[in-house]
Amino acid sequence: MNFDFSDDQKMLRDEVRKFLVKESPLAEARQVMEQGLTHSVKVWRGLADMGVTALMLPERCGGHSMGALELCVVAEEIGRQLAPAPAVSGGAGAAARRE
């Protein structure tokens, strides 16, 4: 049995990682904390532009119809970079209302 990510999941991981490394350095997280903000608008908008916020929404609703594993791939990258973004809670909320 193969437990590796699919090629699409690897591509998603790599693209999210590339974006976060460039747009969400540790200084971004520090700035969010120091200003008492909940997230980085710049990072959140960038993830939204990439389609991350609609991963688990059905295609008929403008989403990508992906599953929880793809959301976990994104969550892992957000945590890896300490990115100040609420993508996981947003994606999980969308999944809860999916059907």
Side-chain angles (χ1 to χ4, degrees):
M1 186 173 249
N2 182 0
F3 291 106
D4 198 8
F5 291 129
S6 69
D7 289 342
D8 288 341
Q9 291 163 340
K10 289 176 185 176
M11 185 173 64
L12 173 64
R13 178 196 63 203
D14 294 345
E15 289 303 311
V16 170
R17 182 178 293 178
K18 188 183 334 175
F19 167 77
L20 291 173
V21 164
K22 180 180 178 192
E23 299 296 332
S24 187
L26 191 52
E28 186 76 16
R30 280 194 186 113
Q31 182 179 12
V32 167
M33 286 177 40
E34 289 170 359
Q35 293 179 1
L37 302 173
T38 58
H39 65 284
S40 166
V41 173
K42 176 185 81 167
V43 174
W44 176 242
R45 281 191 184 141
L47 289 170
D49 289 347
M50 292 176 68
V52 168
T53 57
L55 281 180
M56 295 181 70
L57 289 175
E59 287 181 23
R60 71 181 187 282
C61 297
H64 301 289
S65 294
M66 294 184 179
L69 183 55
E70 287 78 14
L71 185 61
C72 289
V73 167
V74 171
E76 184 175 37
E77 292 307 311
I78 289 172
R80 179 182 180 277
Q81 192 64 27
L82 298 176
V88 176
S89 59
R97 294 178 190 89
R98 188 173 183 181
E99 295 304 318

